[in-house]
């Protein structure tokens, strides 16, 4: 033991360190024959230096005296094989990451050691060398400070002319390996957070600043790919398309958070170059179609719904005063111009007018918007000032209205984003409303556009909805609120009904806006809502005749909480991704009957009814409802057709054959069996039991098969009147929610089929009637349980119970 301990101490001794350095210096060329020896020497040096940095100052003094880092650089240069490069970079990364002494870090960064290692001509075409190289760069970036950054740049006078580590790192910014991309982004943020003025000047001017335009161009390319997925005409199942869209949007959001991190550094030059590139290359080209009447394609041929999603998500994640106000200024430009025109007509001049959009858009004056021209032209640039002049002409050409509120509203609805707000395409309508609310909610929005949207500068839209909209009577959203609410209610009342997800997101908007309106609706809008409510109740009642009626009470209990939570979701955490999901969820469901599809239809009907019941409570009571208590009928009301042991029977248990009907069934694995059919309903549960006669007890049987009573749909064969066909639900619901709150199964199981043979047609008909009778009893119990919830006076009863 003592010998082993002595060897360990000797390994980290100064004398051993010197001997290792001497041995490394004797290496004149690195090739395949001595590669392993050199790797061992490098590893030993790094281990000893790491130990010495914390335990023995003499070791690091020796490290500096012998200029060991220069030996690392020399090893790179004398190597005839690139196989030495990866371990050398790996050991250097480990050494630098484990250094705690500022003195040691300063030495490692000095004398151009790092720059020489960075600038070495590596061959990145094979192996994992790129990963080790980038890891080394990231390790160095994590140790630099404002005081040591100067050691890694080259200057001419006071101007930084070269920053090798930064420029070499950017070459890997678009690497296909996600780990490398992440490392480069961490490296750049490390640098941005400690840069001085001279380095910032280098980073934010060409050619280094091209990095930012490349980033935005890459993001723009991903947006185009996302739009292609959303609007794909291929016969691709919705489940797979949703999965592809989730993956693509995750990548886009990752990029957006990187831009947010850069703006969070708080350096004005960095913020300016990032913001200008986002505006000129992405945001403004996406907004152009929203400023034109009747067009739904962007300058990059991105559909309106995808453009609205991207701009909304960008404002949510990245934010920033310039971005928020630039977007608000362009989207509301028509309306601000109309306000300015009104001010001129009233006051005779623009003095004191708050309707001038020019100050709001001042930060955009020097921006050129890159848009797609014809194929032969490629990309072309449009100056923002030219665009604003075009908008002024367009606004002036629509001066035919007389200024009355009705004409004003009609004019507003024809312009820009408001034309999309009242679009017949529900996805676009909700997406445009979400974007408007995203602007209205943002604290960086200037006072004037904020007042147009109907909020005060000191209050967020969703923080105090009860008074926020109503404080600015002249705001555009207040003036349009009846039309907006009517548009949303029309979505709910559509015939045929729109998809349940569409209704739920519409309901979320209604709740938010109703809160802002004090839960008030016009008589026409109340009529629309009542129509929609009746439709939802009728759909749920139809499910009582479906094959899953026995699960409706449990589904209401399971879905109530999640539905209420979805309605109460705070605005700042709601992902506008739902707008893209809605765009692709309109595909027709397979018309062939399947219990799995029937299950999804029943769950959707329950969700839609809960939504309408909650909205009804909000409109007439001012609050949402807690989960109702659904009481099962008492045992005294159940009847005693069969004994209790039958209703609780399980596979292999004994049951009383009682009034069981003898029949036969053929199993693929057990041949033809003589059995008894028993059907029993107790409360909201019901079973069909097949039992084989007990070999020793004539009045008892052993259960060999059980099926749910609901959904059997007994049918006598037309050609064989003694055969009874039964459909068996094979799908077992487990109330597991998929992403987006949908209980969907990608590959549903096929329903089972049983065919029972009876000794006579009369016995077969008796069995069919027995099954229908017991099913009717079970359904009646479910109907009794749901009756209070489906009554017109349910809310009145809730209020009475609360009063008690």
């Amino acid at each position: 033991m003592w010998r082993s301990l002595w060897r360990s101490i000797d390994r980290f001794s100064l004398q051993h360190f010197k001997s290792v350095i001497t041995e490394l210096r004797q290496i004149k060329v690195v090739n395949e024959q001595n590669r392993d020896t050199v790797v061992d020497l490098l590893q030993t040096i790094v281990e000893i230096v790491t130990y010495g940095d914390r335990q023995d100052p003499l070791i690091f003094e020796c490290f500096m005296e012998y200029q060991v880092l220069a030996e690392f650089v020399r090893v790179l240069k004398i190597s005839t094989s690139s196989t030495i490069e990866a371990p050398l970079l790996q050991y250097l990364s480990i050494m630098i990451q484990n250094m705690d002494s500022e003195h040691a870090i300063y030495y490692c960064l000095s004398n151009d050691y790092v720059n020489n290692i960075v600038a070495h001509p590596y061959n990145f075409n094979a192996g994992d060398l790129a990963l080790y190289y980038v890891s080394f760069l990231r390790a160095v970036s994590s140790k630099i400070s404002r005081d040591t950054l100067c050691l890694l740049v080259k200057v001419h006078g006071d101007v930084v002319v070269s920053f090798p580590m930064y420029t070499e790192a950017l070459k890997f910014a678009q690497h296909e390996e996600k780990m490398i991309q992440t490392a480069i982004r961490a490296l750049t943020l490390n640098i941005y957070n400690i840069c001085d003025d001279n380095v910032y000047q280098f980073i934010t001017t060409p050619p280094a600043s091209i990095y930012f335009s490349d980033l935005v161009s890459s993001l723009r390319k991903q947006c185009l790919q996302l739009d292609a997925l959303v609007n794909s005409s291929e016969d691709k199942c919705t489940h797979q398309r949703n999965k592809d869209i989730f993956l693509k949007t995750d990548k886009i959001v990752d990029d957006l958070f990187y831009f947010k991190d850069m703006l969070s550094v708080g350096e004005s030059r960095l913020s300016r170059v990032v913001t200008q590139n986002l505006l000129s290359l992405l945001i403004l080209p996406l907004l152009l179609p929203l400023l034109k009447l009747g067009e739904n394609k962007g300058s990059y041929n991105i559909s309106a719904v995808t453009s609205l999603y991207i701009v909304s998500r960008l404002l949510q994640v990245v934010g920033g005063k310039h971005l928020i106000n630039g977007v608000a200024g362009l989207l509301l430009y028509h309306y601000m111009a109309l306000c300015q025109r009104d001010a001129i007509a009233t006051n005779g001049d623009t003095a004191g007018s708050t309707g001038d959009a020019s100050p709001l858009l001042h930060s955009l004056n020097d921006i050129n918007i890159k848009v797609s021209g014809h194929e032969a032209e490629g990309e072309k640039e449009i100056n923002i000032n030219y665009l604003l002049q075009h908008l002024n002409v367009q606004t002036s050409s629509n001066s035919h209205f007389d200024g009355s509120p009705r004409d004003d509203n009609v004019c507003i609805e024809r312009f820009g984003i408001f034309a999309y707000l009242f679009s017949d395409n529900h996805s676009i309508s909700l997406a445009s409303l979400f974007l408007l609310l995203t602007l209205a909610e943002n604290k960086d929005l200037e006072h004037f556009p904020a007042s147009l949207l109907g909020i005060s500068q000191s209050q967020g839209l969703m923080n105090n909805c009860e008074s926020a909209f109503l404080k600015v009577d002249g705001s555009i959203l207040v003036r349009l609120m009846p039309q907006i609410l009517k548009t949303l209610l029309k979505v709910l009342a559509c015939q045929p009904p729109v998809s349940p997800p569409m209704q739920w997101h519409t309901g979320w908007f209604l709740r938010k806006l109703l809160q802002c309106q004090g839960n008030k609706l016009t008589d026409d809008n109340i009529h629309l809502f009542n129509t929609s409510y009746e439709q939802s109740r009728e759909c749920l009642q139809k499910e009582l005749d479906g094959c899953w009626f026995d699960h409706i009470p449990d589904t209401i209990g399971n879905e109530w909480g999640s539905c209420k939570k979805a309605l109460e979701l705070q605005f700042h955490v709601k992902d506008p991704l739902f707008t893209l999901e809605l765009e692709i969820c309109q595909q027709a469901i397979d018309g062939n009957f399947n219990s799995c599809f029937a299950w999804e239809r029943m769950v959707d009907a329950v969700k839609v009814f809960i939504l309408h019941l909650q909205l009804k409570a909000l409109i007439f009571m001012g609050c949402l409802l807690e989960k109702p208590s659904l009481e099962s009928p008492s045992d005294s009301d159940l009847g005693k057709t069969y004994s209790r042991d039958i209703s609780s029977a399980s596979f292999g248990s004994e049951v009383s054959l009682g009034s069981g009907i003898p029949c036969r069934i053929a199993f693929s694995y057990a041949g033809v069996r003589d059995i008894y059919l028993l059907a029993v309903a107790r409360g909201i549960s019901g079973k069909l039991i097949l039992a084989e006669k007990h070999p020793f007890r004539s009045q008892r049987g052993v259960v060999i098969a059980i099926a749910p009573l609901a959904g059997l749909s007994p049918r006598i064969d037309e050609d064989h009147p003694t055969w009874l066909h039964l459909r068996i639900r094979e799908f077992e619901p487990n109330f597991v929610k998929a992403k987006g709150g949908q209980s969907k199964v990608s590959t549903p199981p096929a329903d089972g089929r049983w065919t029972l043979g009876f000794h006579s047609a009369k016995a077969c008909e008796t069995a069919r009637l027995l099954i229908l009778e017991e099913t009717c009893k079970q359904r009646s119990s479910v109907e009794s349980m749901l009756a209070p919830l489906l009554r017109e006076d349910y809310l009145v009863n809730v209020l009475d119970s609360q009063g008690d």
Side-chain angles (χ1 to χ4, degrees):
M1 182 185 72
W2 291 107
R3 181 177 299 175
S4 175
L5 179 61
W6 174 254
R7 286 177 179 173
S8 177
I9 296 174
D10 182 66
R11 175 176 174 80
F12 294 102
S13 68
L14 182 61
Q15 181 179 357
H16 178 61
F17 184 43
K18 290 181 178 180
S19 67
V20 173
I21 297 172
T22 301
E23 187 175 352
L24 181 63
R25 285 181 164 181
Q26 292 174 351
I27 302 293
K28 302 304 179 183
V29 63
V30 179
N31 51 36
E32 293 297 333
Q33 284 70 37
N34 63 357
R35 176 198 176 273
D36 292 342
T37 300
V38 175
V39 169
D40 288 341
L41 292 173
L42 296 176
Q43 180 181 359
T44 302
I45 288 174
V46 168
E47 289 174 351
I48 296 174
V49 171
T50 302
Y51 168 82
D53 182 54
R54 300 179 180 180
Q55 305 292 334
D56 189 348
L58 293 178
I59 288 179
F60 200 82
E61 288 183 12
C62 179
F63 176 79
M64 292 186 292
E65 178 183 349
Y66 281 72
Q67 297 185 352
V68 177
L69 275 181
E71 290 300 312
F72 277 72
V73 175
R74 187 180 68 88
V75 167
L76 279 177
K77 292 180 178 179
I78 64 174
S79 176
T80 61
S81 171
S82 59
T83 57
I84 196 66
E85 296 169 348
L88 184 144
L89 291 169
Q90 181 184 20
Y91 294 140
L92 277 176
S93 300
I94 293 171
M95 183 180 72
I96 292 173
Q97 285 173 344
N98 287 280
M99 280 185 174
D100 293 329
S101 166
E102 291 184 7
H103 178 61
I105 294 171
Y106 189 91
Y107 171 77
C108 289
L109 298 179
S110 62
N111 297 316
D112 262 355
Y113 294 135
V114 169
N115 283 340
N116 286 327
I117 294 170
V118 167
H120 180 75
Y122 300 95
N123 178 14
F124 295 111
N125 294 328
D128 295 328
L129 182 58
L131 182 60
Y132 289 111
Y133 180 75
V134 169
S135 297
F136 166 71
L137 297 180
R138 181 177 182 179
V140 173
S141 74
S142 67
K143 294 298 182 178
I144 58 179
S145 65
R146 191 174 291 270
D147 295 328
T148 57
L149 181 61
C150 61
L151 301 174
L152 299 177
V153 300
K154 299 182 184 298
V155 298
H156 181 72
D158 291 331
V159 178
V160 175
V161 296
S162 175
F163 190 174
M165 186 181 76
Y166 180 74
T167 53
E168 292 299 318
L170 296 188
K171 294 178 181 179
F172 296 88
Q174 302 300 329
H175 197 278
E176 59 185 11
E177 178 66 44
K178 179 66 176 176
M179 190 179 299
I180 291 178
Q181 283 189 31
T182 302
I184 294 302
R185 293 184 177 186
L187 176 150
T188 56
L189 291 173
N190 288 339
I191 291 173
Y192 299 153
N193 276 288
I194 51 90
C195 278
D196 58 22
D197 289 343
N198 293 334
V199 177
Y200 264 124
Q201 186 63 29
F202 172 82
I203 287 172
T204 57
T205 55
S209 62
I210 294 175
Y211 170 61
F212 302 105
S213 59
D214 287 345
L215 271 178
V216 179
S217 296
S218 174
L219 176 58
R220 184 184 68 199
K221 182 179 179 181
Q222 292 187 65
C223 294
L224 288 167
Q225 294 169 349
L226 172 64
D227 188 61
L229 286 172
V230 172
N231 296 286
S232 173
S233 59
E234 296 179 4
D235 291 329
K236 201 172 185 181
C237 70
T238 302
H239 175 78
Q240 183 60 41
R241 286 180 67 189
N242 270 323
K243 182 179 178 181
D244 293 341
I245 288 173
F246 290 149
L247 292 174
K248 182 57 66 175
T249 54
D250 281 346
K251 292 179 181 179
I252 290 174
V253 172
D254 281 346
D255 286 355
L256 294 180
F257 273 107
Y258 179 47
F259 286 116
K260 178 182 176 64
D261 290 339
M262 286 193 282
L263 294 180
S264 298
V265 172
E267 208 285 329
S268 59
R269 282 164 294 187
L270 178 63
S271 297
R272 186 183 307 114
V273 72
V274 170
T275 300
Q276 288 184 342
N277 276 285
L278 282 172
L279 285 168
S280 65
L281 297 177
L282 183 65
I283 298 176
L284 297 182
L286 290 176
L287 291 179
L288 283 182
L290 306 182
L291 303 175
K292 301 175 183 178
L293 302 179
E295 296 187 16
N296 64 356
K297 288 291 182 182
S299 59
Y300 288 113
N301 293 324
I302 295 182
S303 63
V305 68
T306 308
S307 296
L308 290 163
Y309 162 75
I310 294 167
V311 176
S312 295
R313 201 68 175 114
L314 189 147
L315 296 182
Q316 269 190 333
V317 174
V318 182
K321 189 172 183 177
H322 291 297
L323 291 179
I324 292 292
N325 289 288
V327 171
L330 283 174
L331 290 181
L332 301 176
Y333 190 85
H334 287 300
Y335 187 64
M336 288 188 286
L338 292 175
C339 290
Q340 186 178 20
R341 184 196 306 174
D342 291 344
I344 294 174
T346 302
N347 303 323
D349 57 43
T350 59
S353 170
T354 59
D356 188 3
S358 299
L360 184 68
L361 301 174
H362 179 71
S363 61
L364 305 181
N365 284 343
D366 296 327
I367 290 181
N368 290 323
I369 308 171
K370 292 189 177 181
V371 299
S372 297
H374 298 293
E375 292 185 7
E377 298 175 354
E379 285 193 338
K380 61 180 180 179
E381 293 187 351
I382 299 177
N383 188 270
I384 187 67
N385 293 323
Y386 171 82
L387 175 63
L388 297 182
Q389 290 173 7
H390 174 74
L391 292 175
N392 276 326
V393 171
Q394 191 180 48
T395 303
S396 300
S397 65
N398 287 272
S399 57
H400 57 275
F401 61 95
D402 61 13
S404 65
R406 181 179 180 278
D407 286 334
D408 281 357
N409 291 348
V410 171
C411 186
I412 291 166
E413 291 176 24
R414 294 173 181 170
F415 279 130
I417 192 171
F418 296 101
Y420 291 98
L421 181 59
F422 298 105
S423 168
D424 292 333
N425 184 315
H426 303 314
S427 299
I428 292 178
S429 179
L430 296 185
S432 58
L433 180 56
F434 190 90
L435 176 54
L436 283 172
L437 296 185
T438 301
L439 291 170
E441 170 69 4
N442 198 283
K443 65 181 185 301
D444 289 325
L445 189 62
E446 294 286 357
H447 173 69
F448 176 54
S451 66
L452 292 181
L453 291 172
I455 64 172
S456 66
Q457 211 167 9
S458 60
Q459 287 181 310
L461 173 62
M462 302 307 167
N463 295 333
N464 192 357
C465 285
E466 188 170 341
S467 60
F469 272 128
L470 303 179
K471 282 196 171 184
V472 188
D473 294 333
S475 74
I476 188 170
L477 288 183
V478 168
R479 292 168 60 183
L480 295 177
M481 188 59 69
Q483 293 99 306
I484 295 173
L485 291 173
K486 186 174 184 178
T487 298
L488 294 175
L489 289 168
K490 281 184 175 179
V491 175
L492 294 183
C494 266
Q495 281 297 331
V498 297
S499 67
M502 178 76 75
Q503 294 191 58
W504 260 98
H505 290 296
T506 301
W508 180 86
F509 279 108
L510 274 170
R511 177 178 180 268
K512 296 300 181 185
L513 298 182
L514 283 171
Q515 285 181 308
C516 300
Q517 280 289 97
N519 305 326
K520 296 178 181 178
L521 289 177
T522 64
D523 291 342
D524 288 343
N525 284 343
I526 288 177
H527 176 72
L528 265 177
F529 173 76
N530 286 336
T531 301
S532 178
Y533 174 80
E534 285 301 319
Q535 290 173 2
S536 71
R537 187 170 65 168
E538 289 173 5
C539 284
L540 182 59
Q541 288 174 327
K542 286 181 181 178
E543 290 303 318
L544 289 170
D545 294 323
C547 70
W548 290 101
F549 70 84
D550 54 328
H551 277 263
I552 291 178
D554 285 342
T555 303
I556 290 175
N558 280 280
E559 296 294 342
W560 193 279
S562 59
C563 289
K564 186 171 182 285
K565 183 179 179 181
L567 270 182
E568 294 176 331
L569 185 66
Q570 293 297 309
F571 183 83
H572 68 276
V573 297
K574 190 171 182 68
D575 189 341
L577 177 62
F578 75 88
T579 58
L580 302 184
E581 295 173 327
L582 297 180
E583 187 71 6
I584 66 173
C585 74
Q586 304 302 317
Q587 298 180 358
I589 296 177
D590 188 346
N592 296 326
F593 181 85
N594 182 286
S595 61
C596 177
F597 293 136
W599 163 262
E600 293 175 355
R601 187 188 62 219
M602 183 274 290
V603 172
D604 286 342
V606 168
K607 287 182 175 182
V608 170
F609 176 73
I610 293 175
L611 165 67
H612 282 80
L613 193 59
Q614 291 286 25
L615 289 177
K616 186 174 182 179
L618 183 66
I619 293 169
F620 296 106
M621 295 173 55
C623 63
L624 298 180
L625 299 171
E626 296 301 325
K627 185 168 78 171
S629 176
L630 301 178
E631 298 182 1
S632 300
S634 61
D635 285 342
S636 60
D637 299 327
L638 298 177
K640 298 182 179 180
T641 304
Y642 293 99
S643 60
R644 185 179 299 274
D645 68 328
I646 295 178
S647 63
S648 60
S650 59
F651 182 79
S653 64
E654 288 188 21
V655 294
S656 172
L657 295 180
S659 302
I661 303 175
C663 57
R664 307 183 83 190
I665 189 171
F667 292 105
S668 59
Y669 57 88
V672 178
R673 307 275 286 272
D674 290 315
I675 58 170
Y676 284 80
L677 178 149
L678 302 98
V680 60
R682 289 188 66 86
I684 65 172
S685 64
K687 295 179 180 178
L688 176 77
I689 296 174
L690 301 183
E692 201 168 32
K693 192 172 183 179
H694 197 284
F696 307 113
R697 305 173 66 182
S698 61
Q699 297 302 314
R700 305 290 288 178
V702 178
V703 177
I704 64 170
I706 300 177
L709 199 57
L712 287 177
S713 300
R715 178 179 61 85
I716 296 177
D717 191 279
E718 294 179 359
D719 299 324
H720 303 84
T722 60
W723 291 5
L724 183 65
H725 299 294
L726 303 174
R727 184 181 62 226
I728 310 299
R729 296 185 325 212
E730 294 291 347
F731 172 65
E732 288 296 329
N734 55 9
F735 301 108
V736 175
K737 306 295 183 298
K739 189 172 183 180
Q742 297 301 300
S743 304
K744 303 296 182 185
V745 179
S746 57
T747 310
D751 289 333
R753 293 287 188 271
W754 288 358
T755 299
L756 305 178
F758 294 85
H759 63 83
S760 68
K762 182 178 180 180
C764 186
E765 175 66 11
T766 301
R768 186 183 76 86
L769 293 176
L770 173 64
I771 293 172
L772 292 177
E773 180 184 356
E774 293 300 312
T775 303
C776 185
K777 291 178 182 179
Q778 182 185 8
R779 183 181 291 107
S780 295
S781 295
V782 174
E783 289 173 343
S784 298
M785 183 180 290
L786 298 180
L789 201 64
L790 295 172
R791 289 180 55 167
E792 279 288 347
D793 59 354
Y794 176 71
L795 294 183
V796 176
N797 295 332
V798 170
L799 285 173
D800 290 343
S801 64
Q802 290 176 350
D804 296 338

